[in-house]
Amino acid sequence: MAGALSEVLGEVLVAADGEEVAVSALAARGVSLLKLWNKYRVSNIPSLIFIDASTGKVVCRNGLLVIRDDPEGLEFPWGPKPFSEVVAGPLLRNNGQTLDSNALEGSHVGVYFSAHWCPPCRSLTRVLVESYRKIKEAGQKFEILFVSADRSEDSFKQYFSEMPWVAVPYADEARRSRLNRLYGIQGIPTLIVLDSKGDVITRQGRVEVLNDIECREFPWHPKPVLELTDSNAVQLNEGPCLVLFVDSEDDGESEAAKQLIQPIAEKIIAKYKAKEEEAPLLFFVAGEDDMTDSLRDYTNLPEAAPLLTILDMSARAKYVMDVEEITPEIVEAFVSDFLADKLKPEPI
């Protein structure tokens, strides 16, 4: 959970001809390679992530695209570039009109990675069209940029005809690929929301749109603690998550639980933001509903409430604190022990 890669691996050097030595060294030190999966939020394979080995900071998440697009290494070390530079060039509207990408300047931008062949994408697009309309009617400066993952230009045109926003031309595969690389896209649909300067506000635009149909919370700055719902449960697969289960029959229980966790979540988030890293934990409060019941069943958790847990789906591991009263001190100690690798996991 530490910042630099060396803190995760220990003093292990891997040479091209030293595979057996490296593996045995890792085993001898008891270092779990799953830490690397969690640290770099790997959700599928194959994945190739380029990092600065001295700091552990990500240089590029989509290394496979880098190798495909730049086989000669002319753009090495493949560091991130500003959105305005990567997107530069002509954009399309579905009526065939073109405009320059500088028309996006000064607006919030949703970068929408999607495809017609993907059923969840089509479902999200229908909701997103209404959200886009509401935001524009409210006088907000907002644009959406469609980055297609369709398999043919005909499919792209058919799908884009349903969209009132702009798109990268389908024929400009290089620019579409660079945008995928810039945001480390590992699956669709994905909606990245940017501020007017081109900086990322949230990578969870899909969840935000589905949870905020009236768009009252646009531009959807991340909340330190989320209420677990059907639409955001997918985030449980993105890395370790602290989940506090409560009795939702008490109307104030969920809100009180959020207020209890929030200062601790904010502290963790701020600490890692200062190091320009993603926080190692997501924070949730879960009430009583069918989705929560399914989660309890899947992870074989007791029915107690309140119940404090950390769930690590990729490692198929759980950490459980079953006490009668959850206090800030208990939560903070639980989180600190987890981050220091002092807790013993139970299998999921």
Side-chain angles (χ1 to χ4, degrees):
M1 302 300 173
L5 179 63
S6 59
E7 295 178 57
V8 178
L9 288 179
E11 298 174 2
V12 177
L13 299 178
V14 182
D17 60 351
E19 182 178 354
E20 290 184 7
V21 174
V23 171
S24 63
L26 286 169
R29 293 175 183 271
V31 176
S32 171
L33 293 178
L34 286 171
K35 288 185 183 180
L36 293 177
W37 285 69
N38 289 334
K39 180 175 177 62
Y40 298 111
R41 300 290 173 89
V42 175
S43 60
N44 56 25
I45 55 173
S47 287
L48 177 61
I49 299 173
F50 294 113
I51 60 172
D52 181 334
S54 64
T55 65
K57 292 181 180 177
V58 174
V59 174
C60 177
R61 290 189 177 277
N62 274 10
L64 296 175
L65 284 180
V66 167
I67 291 172
R68 188 194 73 181
D69 296 346
D70 185 26
E72 302 298 323
L74 300 178
E75 298 179 28
F76 181 83
W78 306 301
K81 298 177 180 178
F83 169 71
S84 58
E85 181 179 336
V86 176
V87 79
L91 304 177
L92 292 178
R93 293 201 179 276
N94 62 14
N95 61 4
Q97 177 188 357
T98 62
L99 67 160
D100 192 82
S101 58
N102 61 19
L104 300 176
E105 293 178 4
S107 296
H108 287 84
V109 177
V111 188
Y112 184 36
F113 299 85
S114 185
H116 186 263
W117 53 262
C118 163
C121 294
R122 297 198 302 272
S123 296
L124 179 61
T125 296
R126 289 191 288 271
V127 177
L128 193 54
V129 167
E130 289 304 307
S131 298
Y132 178 79
R133 178 183 61 78
K134 290 172 183 175
I135 293 167
K136 300 284 275 189
E137 287 178 353
Q140 300 270 15
K141 296 190 71 176
F142 180 52
E143 193 52 77
I144 294 177
L145 175 67
F146 172 41
V147 183
S148 174
D150 286 295
R151 293 165 177 163
S152 70
E153 185 149 11
D154 287 342
S155 293
F156 162 76
K157 289 178 178 177
Q158 179 184 351
Y159 193 29
F160 187 40
S161 69
E162 305 169 11
M163 302 177 183
W165 43 74
V166 298
V168 176
Y170 185 80
D172 196 342
E173 184 177 357
R175 194 162 27 142
R176 290 191 288 123
S177 182
R178 286 196 297 271
L179 285 162
N180 272 272
R181 284 164 47 188
L182 178 62
Y183 298 114
I185 302 303
Q186 298 189 34
I188 57 173
T190 295
L191 178 66
I192 310 287
V193 181
L194 311 178
D195 66 16
S196 58
K197 297 179 181 179
D199 295 327
V200 174
I201 293 176
T202 179
R203 298 178 59 86
Q204 300 296 334
R206 174 191 183 186
V207 171
E208 298 293 351
V209 166
L210 295 175
N211 280 347
D212 183 27
I213 297 298
E214 297 303 320
C215 305
R216 294 190 178 97
E217 298 180 6
F218 174 83
W220 302 302
H221 290 280
K223 299 181 182 68
V225 182
L226 297 174
E227 186 166 348
L228 191 61
T229 64
D230 287 331
S231 58
N232 65 27
V234 66
Q235 292 177 258
L236 293 174
N237 295 312
E238 295 185 2
C241 297
L242 183 142
V243 184
L244 175 53
F245 293 87
V246 298
D247 181 0
S248 61
E249 292 180 2
D250 183 340
D251 292 338
E253 189 75 15
S254 291
E255 188 58 35
K258 288 181 189 176
Q259 295 303 318
L260 185 150
I261 294 174
Q262 183 155 326
I264 299 159
E266 289 174 341
K267 181 178 176 181
I268 294 292
I269 292 167
K271 176 183 176 181
Y272 283 84
K273 185 176 182 180
K275 298 191 291 184
E276 299 182 353
E277 295 182 14
E278 293 185 44
L281 273 174
L282 298 176
F283 295 83
F284 294 91
V285 169
E288 290 185 350
D289 54 31
D290 290 343
M291 189 276 297
T292 301
D293 289 343
S294 296
L295 178 60
R296 282 184 185 266
D297 289 343
Y298 177 75
T299 55
N300 196 26
L301 290 172
E303 293 298 322
L307 182 69
L308 183 63
T309 68
I310 292 174
L311 304 178
D312 188 345
M313 296 301 197
S314 62
R316 297 190 62 80
K318 64 185 178 185
Y319 307 82
V320 181
M321 173 82 58
D322 186 0
V323 294
E324 289 187 6
E325 181 181 5
I326 306 293
T327 66
E329 294 75 19
I330 286 175
V331 176
E332 189 154 18
F334 187 55
V335 170
S336 296
D337 287 348
F338 172 76
L339 296 178
D341 291 326
K342 294 180 179 178
L343 299 181
K344 183 178 179 180
E346 301 176 44
I348 292 178

